[in-house]
Amino acid sequence: MKINKLCILLITGAVIGSIQAQTGKGGISPQQLEEIKKGYAGTDADRAIRNAITNNDINKLAVNRDNMNHLDNHFSHRVKSKGITNQKSSGRCWLFTGLNIFRADIINTYNLNDFQFSHSYPFFWDQLEKANLFLQGIIDTRDKPMDDQTVDWLFKNPLSDGGQFTGVADILTKYGVVPADVIAETNSSDNTRQMANLIALKLKEYGLQLRDQSAKGIKPAQLEKTKTEMLATIYRMLVLNLGEPPTQFHWTLRDAKGDVISSKEYTPQSFYEEFIGADLKNNYIMLMNDPTREYYKLYEIDYDRHMYDGKNWTYVNLPVEEIKQMAIASIKDSTMMYFSCDVGKFFDRTRGLLDVNYYDYGALLGTTFGMDKEQRIRTFSSGSSHAMTLMAVNLDEQGNPKKWMVENSWGPGANNGHLIMTDEWFNEYMFRLVVEKQYITDPVKEVLKQKPIRLPAWDPMFADEE
């Protein structure tokens, strides 16, 4: 076989160029390496720290002992709640958090020992709606190339078990709710990964089929008919994993003494109307503290919704101190709130404590970690990862918050399943809060009149809360 000399020259040049790019200016030279090595002096103190770190958990070594006993579980203002929920190995924190807000109201209104909504029921419809959102998105973008950013994002995110409050509003409003004993949790609802992976795999396959049919000239009306057939398969997969959602049921409400308050037939929608009844789509406002973007502006996240015909995630961006004012007003009025944060930062799980001073990594490692909230967001070092229910605040004599408490959905644990956070931690790692309209301030009301600034779905600030 003859090889063209030009090909040899091109291949040789590419190889040489590649080698030069990898070993040329900018690499670590022997002289630089000697300077770098001076970062470890090998003193007795260095060796002692190295021995400690290599044989222990860094977090245990970094605990600031002087700061361990500064907090207790007293709060000047606290919304009453009973029991604790457990999302287990699923990313449904957004759903548990939203339902926990209304659960507390039902317990207090009817004097119940405990009460829980079914989380499996709305999760079923959430997954089906997200499947439709993906497939219809594929139809809408059928004429765009595969490397188009929207098409690329769709195939990377066909569906997930994570989400945020817009999902609570849209799914509950459309499909209603049922009590926990009407449709029980299953292994796949408690452990969602395998089911989600299989459904996502099938959706990607269907997405390619829809694009291929479109390329062959199939009209949108036929594509949508095919989509319906595809969704029938997804529905069957969901039923096999989660059970079939009920259309009606009989349920008896008993108070804390066991006395019957009511016993009657319901549909999921009538149960929603009787025990929640709120206008979730219009009566709740999402507030954000994102210092990378301009404050007092209204933002909307494209494609960031749980239903194709649902509402895009829309929020008001505000300084954190203004968000606190509304949070305090809500707690004082015995109303819980949907709250999301970067829960993994400075978190002592054994004590249920979130405190920026709890771990002193700098003293342990002989350096500093000096980025502020804006810098951490811009460098992908921090973002909201988990939703919980904000339910308590401790105010000093001047009315300033000193610490906060949330009801978590990880089952019983420290503080009976609640997490306590310092006010400083709230400043640094709180991102989103959903409040009822009656608690918003006049400046927020003015912002809501603006036309939202639309942001792309792939913005890293807007990952699902799990």
Side-chain angles (χ1 to χ4, degrees), residues 95 99 116-122 177-185:
L95 182 56
L99 288 174
Q116 289 195 25
F117 290 104
S118 168
H119 300 93
S120 184
Y121 173 81
V177 290
V178 303
D181 51 2
V182 169
I183 178 169
E185 296 288 316

Side-chain angles (χ1 to χ4, degrees), residues 52-104:
I53 292 176
T54 54
N55 288 288
N56 292 279
D57 180 347
I58 285 180
N59 275 353
K60 291 181 178 179
L61 295 172
V63 169
N64 182 355
R65 306 296 299 187
D66 294 334
N67 199 58
M68 282 192 67
N69 302 315
H70 289 178
L71 289 179
D72 59 28
N73 59 5
H74 168 74
F75 288 86
S76 59
H77 299 82
R78 178 173 179 166
V79 183
K80 293 180 181 179
S81 181
K82 295 179 182 178
I84 200 73
T85 54
N86 192 345
Q87 68 186 80
K88 298 188 177 178
S89 296
S90 73
R92 298 175 294 164
C93 71
W94 59 277
L95 182 56
F96 277 69
T97 297
L99 288 174
N100 281 342
I101 295 170
F102 311 119
R103 181 177 75 96

